[in-house]
Amino acid sequence: MIKTLLSLVLVSTSLFAANTLHANTDSEGRLNEEYLTGNWHAQRATLEEEGYRYFAYYNTIASSNVSGGIDSGSDFAGDLFAGMQLDLDKIFGWEDWTFNLSGIERHGNSIDDHVGGIYSVMQLVGGQSSFLYGLSLEKTWANEKYAFKFGRITATDDFAGSPFYGYYLSNSINGQIRAVLFDGVMTSYPFAVWGARFQYTPSDNFRVRIGAYQLTEKMWNSEEHGTDFGSRGSDGLSLMTQLDWGWSWGGKPGHFSFGMNNVHFDMPNFNSDGVTENFIRYYVQLDQQITQETDASEQGLYLFGTLAYTDQEEAALVPMQSSFGAQYVGPFRGRAKDRLIFGTTYGDLSDDYADEQQAVGAGHPDYEWIFELGYRVQLTKYAYIQPDIQYVVQPGGTSDIDNATVVGVQLGVSF
């Protein structure tokens, strides 16, 4: 049954594509499509009207460590995310219910072993295998003022993230605030677990989210392919809370979030045989559009910043992390959807971790600092290419490894 579901998720969209791609015979028309496979002889729009939405996204990164680090090296990695979303109101008359089913296939390798850093320079790497990912139901009511989701999900679907973060190749920024994910206490893509999330949105400018997620030593096991549905007495619990505010400053949108991860799980301590049973990490994130090409335009300069902190250094690899980013949407005439990106992340490493490393002769790490510059060329509505360069200061947190320069390119396609 599980193999059937996974095959359905990863293959069904491709089968639709193979049967319908030939309909897009006009090249200019194809470039204006939302998806590479087009509208499937109008079947796609019809299916969505009937409650069936299919999706597939493929991203790949090729990177090379051209100087510094441990040694030179090049590699590539890819990630296919595909699935379906069913509107159960339209299909069965279940008012405001949605069913989500998705799967992931990851392949390739990273050059992280050549760089030697704490943060991965290729964000598509982690669990290189096939996974059953999302398997959940969501109910909304009162015009989506309230929403409740449960099933096989992860905290990264709803917490500590922003659309701005997805434009970076370094996982020090990409996805979620990375320090919150360190130490294995925030469940993340592509490793789904049992969980539930409640969301309260009393106004357009305010939202509260609360989530509870299973923590298990087996959740990172790629050999399970996302099909370990069991629970054990040794399992822990991650309780996520996040408050979101939004505003308009002179017609330019801004957002602020404050969040907390409260963990009940036996976390091994650095430099001792003890464990931390209760762990708390706080985080904040802020973004603001600074300039606009025209009134209400998405084109312009955006700034964002993040901070994550915990005082429990005995269990946290990176007790404090701060990131800053700047993005300009539409930097050149005629390139309204292109995006010039800059980002930097400073990660302060735990004193307890440093003492442990020093005890085994691995130096005394104190911080790692990442800088990244890239330019995303939006080739069509469904495809992009992004050349990128990263500079890693103190890979691994010590001066024992030379600062590394990494060049790369990321490509993505929506099917």
Side-chain angles (χ1 to χ4, degrees):
M1 178 63 177
I2 295 301
K3 290 183 178 179
T4 301
L5 286 173
L6 188 56
S7 298
L8 177 62
V9 170
L10 294 175
V11 176
S12 63
T13 304
S14 298
L15 290 177
F16 269 114
N19 289 330
T20 60
L21 184 57
H22 67 275
N24 296 313
T25 55
D26 180 71
S27 60
E28 183 176 350
R30 187 183 303 173
L31 293 177
N32 291 323
E33 294 280 2
E34 293 287 340
Y35 307 95
L36 175 63
T37 57
N39 199 23
W40 305 342
H41 291 286
Q43 293 180 55
R44 187 175 211 140
T46 300
L47 286 168
E48 290 196 15
E49 289 177 1
E50 294 174 351
Y52 303 88
R53 176 178 172 265
Y54 295 88
F55 58 86
Y57 308 98
Y58 181 74
N59 293 276
T60 184
I61 295 175
S63 291
S64 180
N65 184 37
V66 297
S67 71
I70 297 174
D71 55 26
S72 61
S74 303
D75 221 318
F76 87 99
D79 178 289
L80 171 65
F81 177 51
M84 61 182 72
Q85 185 179 75
L86 306 183
D87 185 333
L88 301 184
D89 189 355
K90 294 180 178 179
I91 299 171
F92 299 120
W94 299 358
E95 185 175 359
D96 297 326
W97 279 94
T98 303
F99 173 73
N100 296 283
L101 174 65
S102 60
I104 299 162
E105 199 283 322
R106 281 189 156 184
H107 51 273
N109 300 287
S110 179
I111 60 169
D112 291 337
D113 289 341
H114 299 285
V115 176
I118 298 296
Y119 298 98
S120 174
V121 297
M122 295 172 65
Q123 56 87 14
L124 294 179
V125 174
Q128 306 307 94
S129 185
S130 299
F131 294 89
L132 176 66
Y133 183 61
L135 184 62
S136 65
L137 284 167
E138 182 166 10
K139 166 69 174 177
T140 65
W141 59 98
N143 292 321
E144 300 187 356
K145 183 177 182 178
Y146 307 96
F148 180 69
K149 178 172 64 176
F150 63 94
R152 300 290 292 181
I153 57 178
T154 69
T156 54
D157 291 339
D158 293 288
F159 295 91
S162 164
F164 291 103
Y165 307 163
Y167 294 93
Y168 296 85
L169 274 62
S170 169
N171 80 350
S172 67
I173 295 181
N174 187 281
Q176 277 64 40
I177 301 174
R178 186 63 188 178
V180 186
L181 274 71
F182 275 132
D183 316 307
V185 293
M186 181 179 178
T187 57
S188 64
Y189 179 103
F191 305 100
V193 296
W194 291 114
R197 185 268 292 144
F198 175 76
Q199 181 171 289
Y200 171 57
T201 311
S203 70
D204 292 339
N205 297 324
F206 183 73
R207 177 172 57 192
V208 180
R209 301 178 193 175
I210 301 172
Y213 303 89
Q214 175 192 30
L215 294 177
T216 169
E217 295 176 355
K218 297 189 67 176
M219 65 185 180
W220 314 111
N221 188 346
S222 300
E223 295 180 358
E224 297 286 349
H225 303 288
T227 62
D228 176 24
F229 292 169
S231 60
R232 302 160 191 86
S234 60
D235 287 355
L237 185 66
S238 168
L239 298 174
M240 302 290 302
T241 306
Q242 183 170 311
L243 309 179
D244 302 313
W245 290 270
W247 59 82
S248 178
W249 171 55
K252 307 177 192 69
H255 307 88
F256 175 81
S257 300
F258 170 78
M260 176 179 67
N261 185 14
N262 191 336
V263 178
H264 302 274
F265 195 48
D266 288 344
M267 299 172 58
N269 290 342
F270 296 115
N271 204 35
S272 78
D273 295 328
V275 297
T276 295
E277 296 180 356
N278 297 299
F279 177 84
I280 296 178
R281 185 185 290 276
Y282 304 94
Y283 62 90
V284 295
Q285 48 192 17
L286 171 70
D287 65 74
Q288 176 66 58
Q289 185 176 17
I290 304 300
T291 67
Q292 284 180 333
E293 295 293 327
T294 59
D295 289 344
S297 170
E298 292 183 358
Q299 289 183 251
L301 175 65
Y302 297 79
L303 301 180
F304 71 84
T306 72
L307 177 67
Y309 174 77
T310 179
D311 63 357
Q312 296 175 266
E313 295 198 20
E314 68 278 5
L317 176 65
V318 182
M320 193 281 290
Q321 174 188 302
S322 180
S323 296
F324 168 79
Q327 298 183 10
Y328 203 105
V329 179
F332 303 110
R333 181 174 297 178
R335 305 300 309 169
K337 298 299 182 180
D338 287 2
R339 189 173 296 235
L340 176 64
I341 67 108
F342 168 80
T344 182
T345 293
Y346 177 88
D348 185 50
L349 300 177
S350 159
D351 290 338
D352 293 76
Y353 169 72
D355 291 342
E356 180 180 87
Q357 293 298 296
Q358 188 173 38
V360 297
H364 194 274
D366 52 0
Y367 74 87
E368 183 170 303
W369 203 343
I370 316 294
F371 296 87
E372 181 172 352
L373 181 66
Y375 187 86
R376 178 167 295 199
V377 181
Q378 198 66 42
L379 301 171
T380 67
K381 290 182 179 180
Y382 55 77
Y384 71 85
I385 184 170
Q386 179 177 330
D388 187 274
I389 184 169
Q390 299 175 53
Y391 188 67
V392 184
V393 178
Q394 287 202 171
T398 76
S399 57
D400 297 341
I401 303 175
D402 291 339
N403 296 348
T405 301
V406 176
V407 296
V409 61
Q410 181 169 250
L411 301 96
V413 179
S414 301
F415 295 95

